[in-house]
Amino acid sequence: MKSILSLQRLTVLTVLILTGCKTYKLPDAKMKPEQVCGYNYCQPGNYGVVFHFYKKPFSPDVDSMTTLRDVAYSIIGHAFPNGNLLGDRAFTCSRTTSNPFTASDIVNLVNPTGKDINYTRKEKLQIDINAVVEGNIEEIKRLNPSITNVPEIEARLKAAYSKINNKELTVQAKYSEWGLSRTAIEKLVKEDGYTDCKEFLIEKNYRIITAVGIISFDITFDDKSVDQISSELDAEMKQYGITANLAISFKKEVTQSLKTSTRGGFQIVVWRSVAGNELMLKK
């Protein structure tokens, strides 16, 4: 009996030690869960199995994402193959191309605007302005074939990038949690809605993401955020009739150029998911 108890204690101790050693790899830093979410174990939501991206947090595709809710909506309710936990193969939870969930199905669980993390870095921004602006102009021409004042727009773009290029920027990180609403989960489990999604999960043996923990990076220059600068640029371009979302492009170029940020300014460090066959057991 003593040997069994000793083995149990050793197992618990080993788990605690291993858990305590785990860290999330933020750009240019490693942080323990308690430093990120305030607890020894970050676990957004309460439905499904928690998976931590300790080895490599991933940056979601943010081509059309501007807010934390938008980023959460691009991930939660999506599905991925059982056994694939890289975060790079999430699909719409449906046999059709439409997303069965809406933005209203996604709710904030903790910290709607993000909880400050003890992560502050300063870095000098270095962008190849000519190359970036050339790419922007090509996109503008593609979306606006009849545009005529290209030189003026090009000058405006170069001025916007020059405003912060070769300047020291401050990067700060925040953490928030988002998940499927209680109503959405109940409908999914009870087959009172999202039937196509549930059948898809079971047929494909996929898991559905029910909650996420997101780290967002705020980038500022002289107390003015990159989000503000990019929004001002977007508003200015709209006066020229430009339909390309240059605010997104501007922010991506800035965040990609900083080693202390990440692509698009967001990282997923943890999520919950549940398999289709598990949903059947919970009817």
Side-chain angles (χ1 to χ4, degrees):
M1 179 65 73
K2 286 185 178 180
S3 62
I4 293 175
L5 290 175
S6 298
L7 180 60
Q8 289 175 335
R9 292 193 186 99
L10 179 60
T11 301
V12 171
L13 181 60
T14 302
V15 171
L16 289 173
I17 291 174
L18 289 175
T19 303
C21 291
K22 295 293 187 180
T23 57
Y24 297 121
K25 295 181 180 179
L26 277 66
D28 202 35
K30 293 182 179 180
M31 305 195 77
K32 295 180 180 179
E34 58 264 31
Q35 294 175 296
V36 174
C37 64
Y39 299 96
N40 293 332
Y41 193 73
C42 301
Q43 41 188 352
N46 53 21
Y47 189 68
V49 178
V50 177
F51 177 79
H52 299 268
F53 290 88
Y54 288 128
K55 291 184 178 180
K56 185 182 178 182
F58 81 94
S59 301
D61 183 356
V62 294
D63 286 347
S64 60
M65 309 307 163
T66 56
T67 68
L68 279 168
R69 177 180 290 279
D70 292 332
V71 173
Y73 178 55
S74 73
I75 300 167
I76 298 168
H78 287 64
F80 61 94
N82 221 342
N84 183 301
L85 297 172
L86 299 178
D88 59 349
R89 292 186 62 195
F91 305 97
T92 300
C93 182
S94 174
R95 287 173 294 189
T96 67
T97 57
S98 60
N99 187 347
F101 300 98
T102 66
S104 61
D105 291 322
I106 310 302
V107 296
N108 174 254
L109 303 174
V110 178
N111 308 313
T113 58
K115 176 185 77 71
D116 287 331
I117 298 174
N118 187 22
Y119 175 100
T120 301
R121 301 287 189 275
K122 292 185 179 296
E123 186 177 347
K124 191 174 183 180
L125 179 65
Q126 293 181 316
I127 295 179
D128 184 340
I129 295 177
N130 290 330
V132 171
V133 171
E134 183 179 342
N136 288 160
I137 293 297
E138 288 179 2
E139 179 67 7
I140 288 172
K141 287 180 177 179
R142 186 182 69 83
L143 295 174
N144 306 266
S146 60
I147 194 162
T148 58
N149 54 343
V150 172
E152 186 178 356
I153 293 172
E154 185 176 6
R156 294 284 186 176
L157 287 171
K158 287 184 177 180
Y161 284 108
S162 297
K163 186 181 298 183
I164 60 173
N165 201 34
N166 295 314
K167 304 295 193 301
E168 187 177 70
L169 277 64
T170 300
V171 182
Q172 294 178 297
K174 294 184 177 182
Y175 176 79
S176 62
E177 295 180 353
W178 303 77
L180 281 175
S181 68
R182 182 188 297 268
T183 300
I185 290 176
E186 288 178 351
K187 285 183 177 181
L188 183 64
V189 172
K190 296 176 181 179
E191 295 184 353
D192 186 29
Y194 315 117
T195 304
D196 186 59
C197 173
K198 189 168 184 177
E199 290 176 352
F200 173 84
L201 293 171
I202 296 170
E203 175 189 324
K204 297 287 189 179
N205 190 27
Y206 277 14
R207 303 185 67 86
I208 183 172
I209 302 164
T210 61
V212 294
I214 304 174
I215 288 181
S216 57
F217 296 88
D218 287 346
I219 305 169
T220 57
F221 164 66
D222 282 350
D223 295 326
K224 194 168 188 178
S225 72
V226 167
D227 283 330
Q228 288 176 288
I229 298 173
S230 59
S231 294
E232 289 171 2
L233 172 63
D234 201 43
E236 187 175 1
M237 289 298 105
K238 284 179 180 177
Q239 293 178 1
Y240 292 97
I242 305 302
T243 57
N245 193 335
L246 292 176
I248 297 294
S249 175
F250 183 86
K251 183 175 180 181
K252 285 188 69 174
E253 290 296 341
V254 171
T255 56
Q256 286 175 344
S257 300
L258 298 174
K259 68 177 182 179
T260 51
S261 185
T262 186
R263 186 185 72 191
F266 301 96
Q267 277 191 328
I268 307 303
V269 292
V270 57
W271 72 22
R272 276 189 190 267
S273 68
V274 62
N277 59 353
E278 294 170 355
L279 288 170
M280 291 183 67
L281 297 175
K282 295 179 179 293
K283 286 178 60 176

